[in-house]
């Protein structure tokens, strides 16, 4: 009996120790942190990511408190310490000035192996090479025309019927799931020219979408668990790694099916129901002589590229669109104004959107004086296609905006080289400040002294941060040295 009493007493003592430890941890968890994430024993700062519903707000607050950069300490057993930064100088240092000093490395390639070995896991020379082809593809004029048709088909045959059906029958739907399906269909069309049709009434199960979710979940776990643990799981073929293995099989089959469909319906430019000017990713890469020579035209490499595009294209826009509609639901005034614009008898005037009485620029809060005398004497603009007024017209580059449909709402309906249907933000700022109506490109021949004194744009489309991957000779470093 004495032994039993001793065992119970010992058990009670252990229970009290556990309760005390839990209470202490809860106290630490809810006590003030003064903006700095708490570095817990064993688990590091992991609770900051797992125990918050507003992760982006939390990270933003921490970055602001830490001056734009902080070190995230992962679990002790995971070896996953990371640097978070929002400092432009650090971004420039990492992506341009000393880019070669920061390779992804073998650890990252193992973690992201499900994403393919081309776009996400490639390093250094290989990454630059595939990035160059990616830029060339997305700046291709045929793709830009094809994108319009892709969006139109996804809207008319997918999104609108699904939303109409849900509205008519009072069905609650998951908007993010709907937008993910829309992006998945659009991505498959961009890859092979064929609509996958996952966005349809009833929202049936889609194995590719489920595979993408499973892959993302397991890759997150790989950042938390020790590498030896998940590699042992993979070797045994159990647990989360088993899910990932099945997901990779589904994605490999989907990529192979895309290539098969492409080979069946076209050997050059897509000539299916989308017309002669359509250009899909498989066509572009297979027709690239330099690309074929580098990979030997192997279907395996093409499958890896297709997988990378599927991952990149599906989970990017869908969260943004979901948040947009959530914000609309919280701001009924904005919703009512959008409804008014949609219900008008005439198309809205793009210039009206940029009226200084109706928009607040985050980059500058300024109003001219009563005498309309500007407080700034000039505007100098640096950047890429978002603010390039036509510099690329005067250099050798594939990225040009001097053709239709650009400029259809610009004064005179001319394509000036701006990647827009009308004026750019610098043009509108210059007009609002009373300097001039438009900002001219610096490379424009016979630029007057007055134009130089009141402001020009050095921006060039496809300039980029990385000197090895830009598609424009007038890159960010050239822009910076030109003014000096």
């Amino acid at each position: 009996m004495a032994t039993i009493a001793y065992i119970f007493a010992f058990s009670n003592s252990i229970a009290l120790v556990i309760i005390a430890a839990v209470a202490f941890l809860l106290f630490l968890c809810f006590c003030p942190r003064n903006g700095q994430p708490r570095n817990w024993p064993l688990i590091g700062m992991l609770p900051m990511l797992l125990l918050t519903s507003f992760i982006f707000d939390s990270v933003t607050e921490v970055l602001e408190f830490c001056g734009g950069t902080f070190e995230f300490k992962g679990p002790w057993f995971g070896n996953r310490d990371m640097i978070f930064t929002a400092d432009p100088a650090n971004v420039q240092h990492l992506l341009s000035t000393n880019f070669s000093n920061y390779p992804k490395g073998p650890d990252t390639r193992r973690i992201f192996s499900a994403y393919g070995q081309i776009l996400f896991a490639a390093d250094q020379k290989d990454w630059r090479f595939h990035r160059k082809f990616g830029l060339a593809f997305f700046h291709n004029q045929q793709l830009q025309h094809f994108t319009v048709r892709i969006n139109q088909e996804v809207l008319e045959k997918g999104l609108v019927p699904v939303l109409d059906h849900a509205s008519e029958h009072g069905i609650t739907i998951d908007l993010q799931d709907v937008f993910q399906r829309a992006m998945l269909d659009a991505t498959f069309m961009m890859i092979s020219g064929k609509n996958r049709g996952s966005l349809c009434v009833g929202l049936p199960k889609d194995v590719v979408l489920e595979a993408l979710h499973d892959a993302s979940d397991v890759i997150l776990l790989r950042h938390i668990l020790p590498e030896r643990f998940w590699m042992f799981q993979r070797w045994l073929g159990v647990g989360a790694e088993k899910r990932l293995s099945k997901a990779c099989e589904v994605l490999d089959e989907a990529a192979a099916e895309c290539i098969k469909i492409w080979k069946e319906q076209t050997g050059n430019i897509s000539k299916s129901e989308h017309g002669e000017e359509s250009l899909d990713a498989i066509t572009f890469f297979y027709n690239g002589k330099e690309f074929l020579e580098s990979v030997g035209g192997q279907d395996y490499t093409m499958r890896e590229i297709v997988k990378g595009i599927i991952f990149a294209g599906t989970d990017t826009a869908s969260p943004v669109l979901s948040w947009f509609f959530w914000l609309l639901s919280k701001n009924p005034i904005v919703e009512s104004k959008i409804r008014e614009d949609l219900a008008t008898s005439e198309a809205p005037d793009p210039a009206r959107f940029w009226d200084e009485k109706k928009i607040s620029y985050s980059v500058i809060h300024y109003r001219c004086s009563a005498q309309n005398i500007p407080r700034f004497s000039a505007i100098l603009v640096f950047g890429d296609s978002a603010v390039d007024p036509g510099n690329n017209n005067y250099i050798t580059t594939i990225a040009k905006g001097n053709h239709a449909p650009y400029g259809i709402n610009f004064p005179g309906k001319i394509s000036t080289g701006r990647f827009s249907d009308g004026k750019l933000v610098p043009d509108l700022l210059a007009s609002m400040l009373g300097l001039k109506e438009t900002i001219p490109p610096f490379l424009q021949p016979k630029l007057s002294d007055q134009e130089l004194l009141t402001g020009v744009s050095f921006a060039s489309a496809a300039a980029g941060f990385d000197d090895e991957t830009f598609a424009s000779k007038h890159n960010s470093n050239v822009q910076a040295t030109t003014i000096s």
Side-chain angles (χ1 to χ4, degrees):
M1 293 295 292
T3 302
I4 295 175
Y6 174 77
I7 292 174
F8 274 108
F10 180 76
S11 299
N12 290 336
S13 298
I14 293 295
L16 288 174
V17 171
I18 293 175
I19 292 173
V22 171
F24 178 68
L25 290 175
L26 289 174
F27 168 76
L28 290 178
C29 184
F30 291 103
C31 69
R33 297 177 303 158
N34 297 322
Q36 179 72 31
R38 188 175 304 284
N39 186 14
W40 298 87
L42 295 178
I43 59 175
M45 299 178 180
L46 195 60
M48 174 188 130
L49 299 180
L50 300 182
L51 301 180
T52 177
S53 300
F54 303 97
I55 183 171
F56 296 112
D57 292 339
S58 299
V59 172
T60 301
E61 291 174 3
V62 172
L63 284 169
E64 184 177 8
F65 175 81
C66 297
T69 303
F70 81 96
E71 183 181 10
F72 176 85
K73 306 295 289 186
W76 293 357
F77 48 79
N79 192 27
R80 290 290 176 265
D81 295 350
M82 294 176 281
I83 298 292
F84 285 70
T85 184
D87 187 336
N90 289 337
V91 174
Q92 178 75 11
H93 175 85
L94 291 167
L95 298 183
S96 179
T97 310
N98 291 278
F99 176 76
S100 60
N101 293 341
Y102 299 93
K104 300 181 182 74
D107 291 344
T108 300
R109 286 196 291 273
R110 285 193 294 271
I111 291 175
F112 289 96
S113 59
Y115 282 4
Q117 299 299 316
I118 301 297
L119 297 178
F120 287 91
D123 236 337
Q124 300 296 341
K125 182 180 178 180
D126 290 339
W127 182 86
R128 293 187 184 98
F129 177 80
H130 293 293
R131 174 75 181 277
K132 181 181 72 172
F133 270 89
L135 286 173
F137 172 63
F138 286 106
H139 283 90
N140 189 283
Q141 294 181 21
Q142 285 180 299
L143 175 66
Q144 293 169 7
H145 290 295
F146 191 27
T147 300
V148 175
R149 300 178 185 178
I150 290 174
N151 292 334
Q152 184 177 358
E153 179 168 327
V154 172
L155 285 171
E156 293 180 352
K157 296 183 179 180
L159 187 59
V160 172
V162 167
L163 295 180
D164 282 346
H165 180 264
S167 177
E168 292 171 2
H169 295 82
I171 301 173
T172 301
I173 57 176
D174 182 345
L175 268 186
Q176 184 155 338
D177 176 53
V178 169
F179 290 137
Q180 281 183 325
R181 290 169 180 268
M183 293 305 302
L184 184 66
D185 291 347
T187 300
F188 268 75
M189 287 183 66
M190 183 179 68
I191 291 171
S192 64
K194 184 174 178 61
N195 190 335
R196 180 173 177 79
S198 67
L199 181 58
C200 59
V201 173
L203 301 179
K205 175 182 176 180
D206 189 285
V207 292
V208 172
L209 202 58
E210 290 188 352
L212 291 171
H213 293 163
D214 287 341
S216 298
D217 291 344
V218 178
I219 287 173
L220 175 61
L221 283 176
R222 285 184 172 184
H223 281 84
I224 300 172
L225 299 174
E227 182 175 352
R228 289 183 179 179
F229 179 83
W230 61 258
M231 289 190 73
F232 185 62
Q233 272 194 330
R234 186 175 66 177
W235 182 72
L236 292 176
V238 297
E241 290 298 317
K242 182 179 180 180
R243 288 171 54 205
L244 181 60
S245 178
K246 290 183 177 179
C248 288
E249 290 178 5
V250 171
L251 293 172
D252 282 334
E253 291 174 1
E257 183 66 18
C258 281
I259 298 172
K260 179 182 177 182
I261 291 173
W262 176 84
K263 288 182 176 180
E264 290 175 352
Q265 71 178 11
T266 178
N268 192 3
I269 294 178
S270 178
K271 297 174 183 174
S272 58
E273 66 271 21
H274 304 296
E276 296 285 338
E277 294 184 347
S278 302
L279 180 70
D280 53 66
I282 299 178
T283 297
F284 180 84
F285 283 103
Y286 270 139
N287 285 352
K289 182 178 179 182
E290 184 181 358
F291 176 78
L292 285 177
E293 290 175 352
S294 68
V295 302
Q298 301 174 9
D299 281 352
Y300 168 78
T301 306
M302 194 65 242
R303 285 202 305 271
E304 294 297 293
I305 292 175
V306 170
K307 284 165 57 179
I309 296 176
I310 291 173
F311 273 106
T314 303
D315 271 339
T316 49
S318 55
V320 176
L321 289 170
S322 303
W323 273 108
F324 171 74
F325 281 96
W326 181 85
L327 288 171
L328 274 185
S329 69
K330 298 296 182 180
N331 295 271
I333 295 178
V334 176
E335 180 182 354
S336 63
K337 289 184 177 180
I338 293 176
R339 287 180 177 275
E340 288 176 8
D341 282 340
L342 292 175
T344 181
S345 55
E346 57 183 299
D349 181 5
R352 185 164 59 88
F353 174 77
W354 296 104
D355 191 322
E356 73 167 303
K357 296 179 181 178
K358 297 185 178 181
I359 188 168
S360 168
Y361 291 101
S362 60
V363 295
I364 180 172
H365 294 282
Y366 174 87
R367 286 194 180 273
C368 299
S369 65
Q371 291 79 20
N372 200 31
I373 300 176
R375 298 177 186 175
F376 296 94
S377 59
I379 293 180
L380 300 178
V381 184
F382 304 87
D384 56 10
S385 57
V387 287
D388 178 4
N391 280 307
N392 279 19
N393 295 344
Y394 309 105
I395 60 177
T396 302
T397 175
I398 61 174
K400 292 183 181 291
N402 57 350
H403 57 84
Y406 299 121
I408 58 174
N409 291 312
F410 193 83
K413 299 185 181 298
I414 56 174
S415 302
T416 61
R418 289 168 170 80
F419 286 78
S420 168
D421 64 339
K423 293 184 177 181
L424 302 175
V425 170
D427 299 322
L428 302 166
L429 280 174
S431 177
M432 186 181 74
L433 297 174
L435 293 172
K436 58 178 75 177
E437 286 304 310
T438 57
I439 297 291
F442 174 74
L443 297 181
Q444 177 180 308
K446 299 180 180 179
L447 201 62
S448 69
D449 292 341
Q450 181 61 25
E451 292 282 24
L452 289 170
L453 290 174
T454 53
V456 293
S457 174
F458 298 88
S460 174
F465 276 108
D466 183 6
D467 292 346
E468 300 294 335
T469 60
F470 60 82
S472 166
K473 294 181 179 180
H474 204 61
N475 60 67
S476 54
N477 286 337
V478 173
Q479 294 177 37
T481 56
T482 299
I483 189 174
S484 62

